[in-house]
Amino acid sequence: MAGAIGFSVLILVAYILSILGTGLSPLIHVMLIITALTFDFHKYAKISKDEALTLGKLMLIVGLIAIIKVLILKMPTDTVDSVFHAYKVQYILKYQSLFPPKVPVFNVLSYPAGYHTIVTWVVLLSGDLIPHAMLVVRVWSWILIALGTYLFASVWFDGKVGIYSAMVILVANIYNYYLIIYIHPNFLGFYFFMATLAMFYLVLNKKDTSHYSDWTIITIFFILIAAGTLFVHPYEFQAYVFIAAVYLLISIYYKELTLKHAILNGLLYFVLPLAIYAVLNPYFWWPELASKVAIEYPWASYIEVAVNNLAVFTGRNIMDTWDRFKFMVNWATLRNYSYFASLLLVASVGIPLSKKYKLKELASLWGFVLFVLLLILNRLTYNIPIPFYGTAAMERMFLWLTPLFPVFIAVGLRTLLDTFNEVVGSKKLKAIKLIFLVFLFIVPAQGIAYDMISNEANYYVNAHNLEDFEWINERFSGITVLNSCDADSGQWIPFFTSNTVLFSYVNYCRVYNYTPKAVEALIQEGIVPLNATLAYIDTNYPSLNPLIFYTRFKLLRYNNGNWIFDITSKNISENYDILKSQIMLCKNTISGDTYEDGRYYVYGFMKKYVMVEYFHLHGLNYAWLSGQNGTIIFVPCKNYNRIAISFISLSPDPINTTILINGVSHTIIANPGDNIYELPAEIQSGTLNIIEIKKERNGGLFLIKSIEFSDYNWRMG
């Protein structure tokens, strides 16, 4: 609970400081002051043996979760979501305010800044880079979610369910899937959601208040956490409101509360946090207040903010499909051999009903599950506008259920074990527990979810990019860099260097009427627009074509497929010498493995993408040609006169394809499935050789398995 209180105070202080215009540097001291005021040494000095054992179990589980995630997590430098949040943090730091007078896009202001305040605090405290601070907060999210799950489950149910719930996080499919495909504020919001529910339950039932001298204090803490939940992610507050409202209604039914008391509780626990949020974050409720804020990129002033449709939303996301719904349900239940956990989900309804165990609590939580499923079904069918709750995309609705699944599984496990204890006795129960644990943990471990692991690799800044950014930062300051934008590490240059880029998600990859491809076309005509100094071309994906720049501008650096050009200089005399050391080929094969030979695949190929990693994990290391054109370059150590190109076409139809070897054209038919073509070629050692692949039409991926070279005559295949 302390983490939720501390972070909520930190967020509220940041908003107050921003309104006062005093800067955010005092945030450095806030958490230290809170810790000093609230840490109870006396409490921990008198901890009982049972409490110590429970704490030890919990710390072991949290430690395992943290270690497993730290081993695989990478800096969150993918596109769209991460870039948006990084820019919001950058502008908060730049202007020392959550309400900067200048923003890159309008909805940077309207998006609540709870998550960004915590990242800003990490940067202020450590002096770290924003992407690394985001990674730190991401690891904290995993730890806090484990602690929050224990807190929520133990308060709403009991200590056993709390420990089981935290333990089950390790094998809960839905958690592992969604927290790897990470949505920053939303998932940190899971912790606040669970802390808010736990505090609501404690306040309403007046339990566990013996550590506070005044019941009012715990109520204040609750309101702080509820407001903090709103500032981190309003969706989680909406989920809390529904569950808490159902709990209040059931309490009225059981005559534990009068209607008057329930309404008063609703005003206190629902309306007051909203009032705090409205006062401190007016842009969310009244976007027109931001009309005087300067938009940094006028061409990207997309004013239609989602908040304008907060109450009633009638749209439908392109991902709102039956297939996507089936995929999500499968992930939450049977995926990865998780049959026993799914059985426990069913048991969490059936057994408690028969034993009358925590019926109010389970009815409130399962009522919310049913409500969310009805929202999803409505979206997939009639799509009737539902106020507030219907504004989320279908998958975001499903995300509301994520924190509840481990708790349901734990309730099922606890009640099932109790049932077995009644039937077979406590002596045989240990053996049954062991069997249950095998089915919960060992069996799912046999079904390695390669797609889940490969999603973790879907980040665009790798070790080579970091080397390039350091190289740029040491030599250039305050310049503008031309980059390709889509699936591009280059848009992260402003967060690792003191320079800016032309194209990013925040300006929708467009500067006035220029896109990266429009700039490339102008460069071919001899025009260099937009006053950029460098071009940084990360040859992941169909990006800018580096060979267009290679023949026109000075090449400063080539690093494993990444090019840096000085586009203020047309001195190309040293370009070949800089390039050749990196693309020397002293073997007879260029494999499709872009981990090994990615430096040769310089245009048109996916090299950092979820499915590339997926194939790599399966031992199928292919170069993905995703567009119409692809280019491969190399400097061989000897002469060859033939090549054999082996590839897979995923198109259902044959595609006419041209393969140019140093400008000499060969026409082939790429049939569906495996293809091998042997072609004559004049490959000269010690010179730059170019293989181009041009498909007749854009459609269907080509997976290049290998290109083999020979210096003797092969029969045409």
Side-chain angles (χ1 to χ4, degrees):
M1 194 73 76
I5 296 169
F7 283 135
S8 296
V9 172
L10 184 76
I11 292 163
L12 296 179
V13 169
Y15 269 93
I16 292 168
L17 292 174
S18 298
I19 289 170
L20 295 176
T22 57
L24 298 178
S25 56
L27 290 181
I28 297 174
H29 311 292
V30 168
M31 293 297 274
L32 185 63
I33 294 169
I34 293 169
T35 303
L37 291 175
T38 59
F39 191 82
D40 189 348
F41 289 97
H42 180 72
K43 172 188 171 183
Y44 288 97
K46 290 190 173 182
I47 190 169
S48 70
K49 188 180 289 187
D50 287 342
E51 288 174 327
L53 184 61
T54 300
L55 184 62
K57 289 178 181 177
L58 183 59
M59 290 302 101
L60 176 62
I61 293 166
V62 170
L64 283 172
I65 290 171
I67 290 167
I68 290 169
K69 296 304 166 188
V70 166
L71 289 174
I72 64 169
L73 292 182
K74 299 181 181 180
M75 272 194 288
T77 51
D78 55 348
T79 189
V80 185
D81 193 66
S82 295
V83 174
F84 173 86
H85 295 301
Y87 266 104
K88 185 169 177 72
V89 174
Q90 187 186 60
Y91 276 76
I92 288 170
L93 286 163
K94 182 178 180 179
Y95 292 101
Q96 289 291 295
S97 172
L98 303 185
F99 309 113
K102 195 173 185 180
V103 294
V105 285
F106 179 81
N107 50 346
V108 161
L109 281 176
S110 64
Y111 200 104
Y115 163 82
H116 312 87
T117 298
I118 297 171
V119 177
T120 297
W121 175 69
V122 173
V123 174
L124 290 172
L125 198 64
S126 64
D128 212 341
L129 296 171
I130 290 171
H132 193 262
M134 291 169 71
L135 176 62
V136 169
V137 174
R138 188 178 177 194
V139 175
W140 286 358
S141 294
W142 268 104
I143 295 170
L144 290 171
I145 282 169
L147 294 172
T149 301
Y150 169 77
L151 173 70
F152 165 51
S154 58
V155 167
W156 275 63
F157 297 96
D158 56 50
K160 280 187 178 180
V161 174
I163 288 293
Y164 291 159
S165 298
M167 179 179 69
V168 165
I169 287 175
L170 286 165
V171 291
N173 283 338
I174 192 168
Y175 251 124
N176 285 286
Y177 176 69
Y178 277 120
L179 265 75
I180 278 179
I181 306 174
Y182 193 81
I183 307 173
H184 304 273
N186 205 344
F187 293 151
L188 183 63
F190 286 169
Y191 167 64
F192 281 84
F193 163 69
M194 290 183 285
T196 304
L197 276 177
M199 205 63 146
F200 164 80
Y201 193 91
L202 289 174
V203 173
L204 194 66
N205 292 282
K206 296 183 175 65
K207 292 180 180 179
D208 294 339
T209 59
S210 57
H211 297 305
Y212 302 94
S213 58
D214 188 346
W215 182 79
T216 305
I217 294 175
I218 195 172
T219 305
I220 291 170
F221 282 164
F222 164 74
I223 292 167
L224 287 174
I225 294 172
T229 304
L230 269 164
F231 282 111
V232 172
H233 208 290
Y235 280 168
E236 309 311 325
F237 185 82
Q238 288 177 248
Y240 144 72
V241 167
F242 187 95
I243 293 169
V246 172
Y247 188 87
L248 288 173
L249 289 173
I250 295 173
S251 297
I252 293 171
Y253 176 79
Y254 281 112
K255 298 182 179 179
E256 296 171 353
L257 280 177
T258 64
L259 179 61
K260 178 182 177 181
H261 280 107
I263 292 172
L264 289 174
N265 283 325
L267 289 171
L268 183 63
Y269 305 143
F270 304 159
V271 177
L272 191 53
L274 275 169
I276 294 170
Y277 183 69
V279 168
L280 296 183
N281 191 24
Y283 289 130
F284 188 84
W285 300 102
W286 300 286
E288 61 272 14
L289 293 177
S291 59
K292 295 181 181 180
V293 172
I295 305 296
E296 179 147 312
Y297 304 118
W299 52 91
S301 55
Y302 181 71
I303 305 300
E304 188 183 347
V305 183
V307 70
N308 290 333
N309 295 315
L310 178 69
V312 178
F313 176 72
T314 57
R316 177 179 284 163
N317 191 287
I318 58 171
M319 295 289 284
D320 293 350
T321 64
W322 282 104
D323 285 342
R324 191 65 184 174
F325 177 57
K326 292 174 186 175
F327 174 82
M328 292 185 297
V329 171
N330 187 38
W331 255 110
T333 54
L334 300 179
R335 178 66 193 271
N336 203 34
Y337 301 131
S338 191
Y339 307 126
F340 187 56
S342 300
L343 177 65
L344 294 176
L345 279 174
V346 177
S348 72
V349 178
I351 299 176
L353 278 174
S354 64
K355 294 179 175 293
K356 297 184 178 180
Y357 171 77
K358 296 286 186 177
L359 295 182
K360 274 197 308 179
E361 290 79 0
L362 283 167
S364 304
L365 300 177
W366 274 107
F368 181 63
V369 173
L370 181 62
F371 174 67
V372 170
L373 292 177
L374 289 173
L375 283 176
I376 292 172
L377 292 174
N378 172 64
R379 178 64 57 84
L380 292 170
T381 53
Y382 300 106
N383 203 25
I384 300 167
I386 306 295
F388 299 104
Y389 292 94
T391 61
M394 184 186 75
E395 193 158 1
R396 291 295 183 103
M397 294 175 186
F398 202 78
L399 279 172
W400 279 326
L401 307 182
T402 302
L404 303 180
F405 271 83
V407 179
F408 290 143
I409 294 169
V411 169
L413 180 61
R414 190 217 190 285
T415 53
L416 191 60
L417 286 172
D418 286 349
T419 302
F420 272 98
N421 187 36
E422 293 169 5
V423 175
V424 302
S426 58
K427 289 184 179 179
K428 295 181 180 179
L429 191 61
K430 288 185 179 179
I432 291 171
K433 280 185 179 179
L434 182 61
I435 294 170
F436 282 6
L437 290 175
V438 168
F439 277 103
L440 261 178
F441 290 90
I442 307 300
V443 174
Q446 302 308 304
I448 298 172
Y450 287 116
D451 48 353
M452 182 180 78
I453 299 169
S454 63
N455 268 293
E456 177 53 38
N458 194 24
Y459 297 102
Y460 302 134
V461 175
N462 60 23
H464 300 294
N465 300 125
L466 291 175
E467 292 169 359
D468 295 334
F469 297 164
E470 185 177 356
W471 187 93
I472 291 171
N473 209 35
E474 288 173 352
R475 292 162 177 80
F476 298 93
S477 177
I479 64 163
T480 301
V481 181
L482 168 63
N483 65 305
S484 60
C485 200
D486 288 328
D488 170 38
S489 66
Q491 63 181 319
W492 286 94
I493 284 174
F495 303 100
F496 291 93
T497 79
S498 57
N499 306 291
T500 60
V501 293
L502 284 175
F503 301 109
S504 176
Y505 160 74
V506 294
N507 63 13
Y508 304 96
C509 297
R510 182 179 294 273
V511 178
Y512 302 108
N513 292 323
Y514 296 107
T515 63
K517 281 299 179 184
V519 172
E520 184 181 84
L522 288 172
I523 284 172
Q524 286 181 289
E525 297 174 9
I527 303 169
V528 183
L530 301 176
N531 298 317
T533 301
L534 299 183
Y536 183 74
I537 303 175
D538 178 346
T539 54
N540 171 53
Y541 208 66
S543 58
L544 295 171
N545 189 340
L547 295 187
I548 291 173
F549 293 77
Y550 178 76
T551 57
R552 292 170 173 82
F553 302 113
K554 183 177 183 179
L555 177 63
L556 299 177
R557 178 179 170 88
Y558 181 81
N559 181 23
N560 202 57
N562 305 321
W563 309 65
I564 302 176
F565 292 98
D566 179 355
I567 54 178
T568 67
S569 172
K570 296 187 178 181
N571 179 7
I572 63 172
S573 60
E574 297 179 358
N575 283 13
Y576 174 71
D577 292 332
I578 292 171
L579 181 61
K580 72 176 181 179
S581 62
Q582 281 268 328
I583 59 168
M584 289 293 293
L585 181 69
C586 294
K587 58 181 181 176
N588 296 330
T589 303
I590 296 176
S591 74
D593 184 352
T594 53
Y595 289 85
E596 178 186 343
D597 287 343
R599 61 189 179 277
Y600 303 116
Y601 294 90
V602 297
Y603 179 67
F605 295 90
M606 293 184 187
K607 293 189 282 187
K608 286 179 284 187
Y609 181 67
V610 54
M611 293 308 294
V612 176
E613 179 71 10
Y614 178 79
F615 271 78
H616 179 69
L617 290 168
H618 278 87
L620 304 173
N621 301 314
Y622 303 148
W624 285 51
L625 176 59
S626 57
Q628 279 186 265
N629 304 321
T631 303
I632 301 148
I633 66 172
F634 57 99
V635 176
C637 293
K638 62 179 183 178
N639 298 331
Y640 300 101
N641 57 29
R642 299 194 73 79
I643 74 166
I645 181 167
S646 174
F647 65 95
I648 300 170
S649 174
L650 298 185
S651 171
D653 305 308
I655 298 178
N656 292 329
T657 303
T658 301
I659 298 179
L660 292 94
I661 306 169
N662 293 326
V664 179
S665 177
H666 304 273
T667 300
I668 64 170
I669 303 296
N671 293 305
D674 281 298
N675 294 262
I676 299 178
Y677 282 93
E678 299 171 13
L679 305 169
E682 292 299 324
I683 307 294
Q684 298 294 319
S685 67
T687 62
L688 180 64
N689 290 261
I690 302 173
I691 299 174
E692 297 175 87
I693 303 172
K694 297 186 177 183
K695 296 188 290 184
E696 180 185 48
R697 66 178 186 276
N698 195 9
L701 289 170
F702 278 15
L703 310 181
I704 311 298
K705 297 169 74 173
S706 67
I707 301 171
E708 297 185 13
F709 305 95
S710 65
D711 55 1
Y712 59 92
N713 290 323
W714 283 353
R715 182 172 55 85
M716 180 73 73

